[in-house]
């Protein structure tokens, strides 16, 4: 009988879920709203979906990728205001008690990195730093199979770095995809359209995209200098800009690093919005 692992990806507004089999094929996917976690809605939904899938399939384990900082007991150690009442939720203990199955709970950026190493762009690397560009900027570092999150599980909080006292902004306020979107409002275009026009050398998009890429590269340069990873992986929806984005970042890094120092390879993520589902259950494939 085929064994399946049930994977969840809990975000600020949506819970995604699906099954992965022993050949790492994904199926039976679905999604539902978090309902702003009213009355502990997220945990209740995970329990309902788990019960439903456990009746229908031969489950061997459950993995949860989630926003927020995950504690050592698989609980939500810290959650921001985007998910009210989420902090302290005992995800691992509750799902393990209900199902009788092993449960793995991991932060969503960590999960994206684990997913890319399991089935995506980082399969051939053991030292990988992942930078997720989106509404904010998150980081994750995997070295020799170990996620390195610091003594208090708050390491790799990239978005809060590089504070500039003159503009009173931090890294993610200048370099996130949201920051770029806000700059493009006046021009009435989306990020993908702006990139397409930059490819065509249209003003002012060539300059806008290059300036934003330089802001992103400032954070990447620090990662390279501090950690010297084998691979630096760029995730988030903007990673779909592929080689064009990589070339912009590489050009900007030349201006920010000592000549001939950088040996880290840059790649974009491959699994898009499925990376967290793969990463949620990656532990079960080791």
């Amino acid at each position: 009988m085929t064994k399946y692992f049930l994977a969840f990806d809990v975000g600020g507004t949506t819970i995604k879920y699906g099954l992965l089999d022993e050949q790492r094929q994904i199926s039976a996917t679905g999604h539902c709203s978090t309902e702003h976690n009213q009355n502990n809605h997220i945990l209740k939904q995970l329990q309902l979906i788990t019960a439903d899938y456990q009746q229908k399939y031969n489950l061997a384990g459950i993995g949860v990728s989630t926003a927020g900082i995950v504690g050592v007991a698989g609980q939500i150690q810290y959650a921001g205001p985007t998910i009210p009442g989420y902090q302290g939720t005992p995800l691992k203990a509750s799902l393990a008690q209900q199902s009788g199955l092993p449960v793995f709970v991991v932060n969503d950026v960590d999960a994206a990195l684990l997913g890319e190493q399991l089935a995506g762009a980082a399969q051939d690397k053991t030292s990988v730093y992942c930078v997720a560009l989106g509404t904010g900027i998150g980081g994750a570092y995997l070295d020799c199979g170990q996620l390195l999150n610091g003594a208090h599980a708050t390491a790799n909080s990239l978005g809060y770095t590089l504070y500039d006292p003159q503009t009173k902004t931090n890294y993610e306020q200048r370099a996130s995809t949201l920051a770029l979107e806000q700059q493009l409002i006046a021009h009435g275009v989306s990020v993908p359209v702006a990139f397409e026009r930059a490819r065509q050398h249209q003003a002012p998009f060539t300059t806008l995209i290059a300036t934003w890429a330089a802001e992103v590269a400032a954070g990447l340069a620090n990662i390279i200098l501090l950690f010297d990873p084998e691979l630096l992986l760029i995730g988030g929806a903007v990673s779909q800009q592929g080689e064009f984005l990589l070339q912009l970042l590489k050009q900007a890094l030349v201006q920010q690093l000592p000549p001939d120092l950088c040996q880290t390879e840059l790649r974009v993520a491959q699994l898009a919005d499925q990376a967290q589902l793969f990463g949620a259950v990656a532990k079960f494939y080791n």
Side-chain angles (χ1 to χ4, degrees):
M1 183 182 293
T2 302
K3 287 197 305 185
Y4 293 98
F5 303 109
L6 175 57
F8 291 102
D9 177 24
V10 180
T13 59
T14 304
I15 301 169
K16 301 174 186 175
Y17 51 92
L19 295 176
L20 279 88
D21 63 20
E22 294 170 282
Q23 286 70 49
R24 304 175 189 178
Q25 298 298 308
I26 194 166
S27 63
T29 57
H31 67 275
C32 60
S33 172
T34 62
E35 300 292 341
H36 306 290
N37 201 35
Q38 293 181 22
N39 300 316
N40 207 22
H41 182 80
I42 290 174
L43 179 57
K44 291 176 181 176
Q45 283 297 108
L46 299 189
Q47 291 172 324
L48 285 171
I49 295 164
T50 295
D52 180 44
Y53 275 53
Q54 200 165 17
Q55 284 186 343
K56 297 176 180 176
Y57 303 97
N58 178 32
L59 297 187
I62 300 168
V64 183
S65 160
T66 179
I69 295 173
V70 178
V72 294
Q75 83 286 13
I76 302 302
Q77 178 175 309
Y78 174 81
T82 53
I83 310 183
Y86 198 39
Q87 192 162 310
T89 303
L91 294 177
K92 180 176 180 177
S94 297
L95 292 175
Q97 181 178 15
Q98 172 189 336
S99 66
L101 297 173
V103 178
F104 177 54
V105 183
V106 62
N107 164 266
D108 53 2
V109 183
D110 288 342
L113 173 50
L114 291 174
E116 290 290 339
Q117 192 191 46
L118 178 69
Q123 291 182 73
D124 59 336
K125 303 295 183 183
T126 59
S127 173
V128 186
Y129 203 105
C130 177
V131 177
L133 301 172
T135 303
I137 298 180
Y141 184 32
L142 184 70
D143 189 44
C144 297
Q146 295 294 316
L147 285 169
L148 302 182
N149 292 319
H152 309 99
T154 60
N156 307 309
S157 298
L158 292 182
Y160 302 122
T161 64
L162 297 177
Y163 180 75
D164 178 14
Q166 289 190 334
T167 61
K168 293 183 170 54
T169 59
N170 58 31
Y171 182 43
E172 70 181 15
Q173 289 171 319
R174 300 188 302 273
S176 65
T177 309
L178 177 62
L180 179 58
E181 285 178 357
Q182 291 172 337
Q183 293 179 46
L184 295 172
I185 290 173
H187 302 280
V189 300
S190 64
V191 169
V193 170
F195 265 92
E196 183 58 34
R197 293 185 182 180
R199 281 187 176 88
Q200 298 168 2
H201 306 289
Q202 291 185 26
F205 302 104
T206 303
T207 300
L208 284 170
I209 296 296
T211 300
W212 171 80
E215 291 284 6
V216 175
L220 304 186
N222 280 345
I223 292 167
I224 291 167
L225 293 169
L226 287 169
F227 299 105
D228 185 29
E230 198 180 359
L231 173 66
L232 184 51
L233 192 64
I234 308 301
V238 74
S239 66
Q240 295 174 26
Q241 299 304 324
E243 190 61 30
F244 182 68
L245 173 61
L246 289 181
Q247 289 305 314
L248 288 171
L249 295 175
K250 290 175 183 177
Q251 291 166 14
L253 282 169
V254 168
Q255 308 299 318
Q256 302 189 37
L257 291 171
D260 304 318
L261 176 68
C262 176
Q263 299 180 56
T264 295
E265 181 183 357
L266 262 67
R267 294 181 187 172
V268 291
Q270 289 181 354
L271 298 178
D273 61 353
Q274 290 188 335
Q276 284 87 350
L277 291 177
F278 279 92
V281 296
K283 182 178 180 180
F284 299 121
Y285 291 94
N286 294 335

